[in-house]
Amino acid sequence: MEIVEIWHIWLIIAVAMVIAEIFSAGACVFLCFSLGCIGSGIGAYFGVDFKIQILIFSIVTTASFFTVRPFMVKYAFRKTDSVKTNIDAIVGQTGRVTETIDYSKNSGRVFVYGDDWKATSQNGEVIPENEIIEVVKIESTILVVKPINKVKTD
């Protein structure tokens, strides 16, 4: 009996693949390879020829890509749209016009979400300074806004 047998190597590779899966952002790819290594390790333990071990690895890995991976992607990696981040978080926010928005003069700035942005109005209307607005959408680096409240000035 050898100190390190082939099935030991297959299982060490399987453990390495599980560790790689933990640290990867992939969708269970390394896990599928790990299952293939475990299948080949079992074959090696029972004395199967190396060519057959490679065949077992290929079959089990392919089968796990079509069975285990879709299951894991569906249930372990749920995607939620409940939290918006970065630029998507600005849509729907309210702000204040800091420079009159006038499409014909190519002018307009708003203060939204802690930053000063170039802005244009949704309907091409003129929105005066200090007007309260809501961000409707973002086109490149320009906010498309609509007025939501008239500010009374003395």
Side-chain angles (χ1 to χ4, degrees), residues 24 35 43 48 61 71 73 77 85 87 104 117 121 124 146 149 153:
S24 73
L35 293 174
V48 175
T61 300
F71 176 80
V73 168
F77 297 105
T85 60
I87 198 84
S104 64
W117 294 83
S121 63
K146 68 177 182 179
N149 190 13
T153 58

Side-chain angles (χ1 to χ4, degrees), residues 47-67:
V48 175
D49 186 44
F50 187 72
K51 291 178 184 177
I52 303 298
Q53 292 175 30
I54 297 297
L55 182 65
I56 292 170
F57 172 80
S58 300
I59 291 171
V60 172
T61 300
T62 303
S64 64
F65 269 117
F66 292 109
T67 56

Side-chain angles (χ1 to χ4, degrees), residues 128-141:
E129 192 172 336
N130 291 325
E131 182 86 16
I132 302 298
I133 51 88
E134 178 182 350
V135 178
V136 178
K137 65 180 177 177
I138 301 169
E139 294 177 349
S140 183
T141 59

Side-chain angles (χ1 to χ4, degrees), residues 2-116:
E2 298 177 19
I3 294 175
V4 176
E5 295 185 14
I6 296 291
W7 68 272
H8 291 142
I9 295 171
W10 280 114
L11 293 182
I12 290 169
I13 295 170
V15 169
M17 291 291 173
V18 169
I19 292 170
E21 182 66 42
I22 291 169
F23 291 108
S24 73
C28 297
V29 174
F30 289 112
L31 180 65
C32 294
F33 285 122
S34 177
L35 293 174
C37 289
I38 291 170
S40 293
I42 292 170
Y45 180 77
F46 289 111
V48 175
D49 186 44
F50 187 72
K51 291 178 184 177
I52 303 298
Q53 292 175 30
I54 297 297
L55 182 65
I56 292 170
F57 172 80
S58 300
I59 291 171
V60 172
T61 300
T62 303
S64 64
F65 269 117
F66 292 109
T67 56
V68 174
R69 185 175 180 275
F71 176 80
M72 293 299 288
V73 168
K74 183 175 181 181
Y75 294 107
F77 297 105
R78 293 185 185 217
K79 294 184 174 27
T80 61
D81 294 332
S82 61
V83 178
K84 293 183 178 180
T85 60
N86 300 331
I87 198 84
D88 297 327
I90 295 175
V91 175
Q93 295 291 321
T94 58
R96 182 178 50 83
V97 177
T98 57
E99 178 187 327
T100 301
I101 299 172
D102 189 350
Y103 184 76
S104 64
K105 295 180 182 177
N106 194 21
S107 67
R109 296 200 71 82
V110 294
F111 187 78
V112 177
Y113 212 58
D115 285 319
D116 187 57

